[in-house]
Amino acid sequence: MLCFDSHAHLDDRRFDEDRERIFATLREQGVGWVMNVGCDLASSRRSIALAEQYPFVWASVGSHPDDADRVNGKLLDTYRSLASHEKVMAIGEIGLDYYYEDVPRARQIIAFEEQVELAEALKLPVIVHMREAWQDAMEIVRRHPDLRGVFHCFSGSRECALWLAERGWYVGFTGVVTFKNARKAVECVEALPLERILIETDCPYMAPEPHRGRRNDSRYVPLVAGKIAEIKKLSLEEVAAATCQNARTLFGITE
Ligand code: NI
């Protein structure tokens, strides 16, 4: 059994001491594939470098809503050329964050939609970060009916999750689903068909129980699969296989 960690930031400096060791022990911990996600230009470049170094790592490029004020024509051109790399399989993470609102909402919306249009032009899926911005995110999804992707580390309601699933989108779950107070995420997992669920660590953040509060890494993604198996009354193997296939389908990974 091998899991696909569909959202990791293993390029983060918090892994500088032991990154090689983590990659060397992924497989024996039940993790076969990793999508390393960019949040800005520097981390997008680092994600590609990791994907070049490790055959089981893929990359995405894009600017997080926290960095939306730096998205301009020149940066979009750079992402466009980086996206021609054979291991760049998505644009992200992009989106809206009205919880922290580091960048004014109107600016976030523009940067999100410009990157959505880049993804459409390149026929790539998107990896969406969305926090407390459901109405505006829904509006952008509606405006782009052919766009596909994942709402990662999903924090919305059951109704929102089902709304996305009906439109062919995926919903990503992290270690949050293992927390004692994770009622909302558990309800979403219960309601969603397995074919629309992705598992992820979002490491170094969101460590699952029993590691909550500590640095997370991709080796813990089987704990997320285990919790989803428990919620859906399936075996760990079934959840690992289905979510792996979902990630491969979304990102267009055939090998
Ligand atoms: Ni992330």
Side-chain angles (χ1 to χ4, degrees):
M1 180 216 74
L2 288 173
C3 294
F4 194 130
D5 183 0
S6 66
H7 193 115
H9 302 284
L10 288 164
D11 61 292
D12 190 280
R13 65 161 64 88
R14 273 162 277 192
F15 298 112
D16 284 353
E17 301 279 300
D18 59 348
R19 184 178 296 110
E20 278 180 40
R21 214 195 112 62
I22 291 171
F23 279 119
T25 52
L26 276 181
R27 229 185 148 80
E28 67 197 49
Q29 300 292 324
V31 184
W33 307 273
V34 175
M35 172 58 69
N36 204 82
V37 177
C39 312
D40 57 16
L41 180 56
S43 60
S44 296
R45 287 210 163 103
R46 291 196 301 267
S47 297
I48 295 173
L50 285 178
E52 284 175 341
Q53 196 179 346
Y54 298 98
F56 49 86
V57 176
W58 282 268
S60 73
V61 300
S63 288
H64 190 281
D66 293 352
D67 224 51
D69 52 352
R70 284 193 236 171
V71 176
N72 56 31
K74 187 169 166 244
L75 182 58
L76 291 166
D77 284 345
T78 306
Y79 285 147
R80 182 187 302 273
S81 75
L82 290 176
S84 66
H85 190 287
E86 60 178 359
K87 294 200 79 178
V88 173
M89 308 314 261
I91 299 296
E93 55 184 290
I94 61 178
L96 303 171
D97 194 322
Y98 295 172
Y99 181 79
Y100 288 111
E101 209 177 333
D102 290 336
V103 173
R105 294 180 182 194
R107 188 71 195 87
Q108 291 189 37
I109 291 171
I110 293 168
F112 182 25
E113 204 149 23
E114 284 174 338
Q115 294 180 94
V116 157
E117 282 160 10
L118 176 64
E120 285 181 318
L122 297 171
K123 298 194 168 30
L124 287 174
V126 291
I127 298 170
V128 176
H129 171 104
M130 191 277 297
R131 204 158 169 208
E132 296 188 6
W134 178 249
Q135 291 303 328
D136 288 342
M138 208 161 59
E139 193 47 48
I140 291 171
V141 167
R142 269 206 205 95
R143 275 206 290 273
H144 300 272
D146 298 328
L147 184 69
R148 290 294 178 270
V150 54
F151 272 59
H152 104 94
C153 192
F154 193 69
S155 59
S157 67
R158 183 177 162 275
E159 289 68 32
C160 298
L162 290 173
W163 188 87
L164 287 169
E166 280 161 21
R167 281 157 184 80
W169 284 69
Y170 291 86
V171 183
F173 295 94
T174 62
V176 168
V177 79
T178 70
F179 297 173
K180 279 202 182 69
N181 52 355
R183 194 179 50 85
K184 240 166 103 179
V186 169
E187 281 174 9
C188 291
V189 170
E190 278 169 350
L192 283 167
L194 188 57
E195 303 76 63
R196 301 259 67 92
I197 292 176
L198 295 189
I199 56 171
E200 58 169 294
T201 56
D202 199 18
C203 65
Y205 319 102
M206 307 292 177
E209 294 287 2
H211 308 285
R212 186 173 182 178
R214 278 176 276 165
R215 189 192 72 171
N216 192 9
D217 74 61
S218 290
R219 294 174 297 187
Y220 297 153
V221 79
L223 293 167
V224 178
K227 183 65 191 187
I228 289 173
E230 183 193 315
I231 296 167
K232 294 196 93 58
K233 301 183 173 65
L234 297 167
S235 70
L236 177 59
E237 287 72 20
E238 283 172 294
V239 172
T243 53
C244 172
Q245 187 52 52
N246 296 344
R248 297 171 80 89
T249 303
L250 174 64
F251 299 127
I253 295 169
T254 48
E255 64 205 69

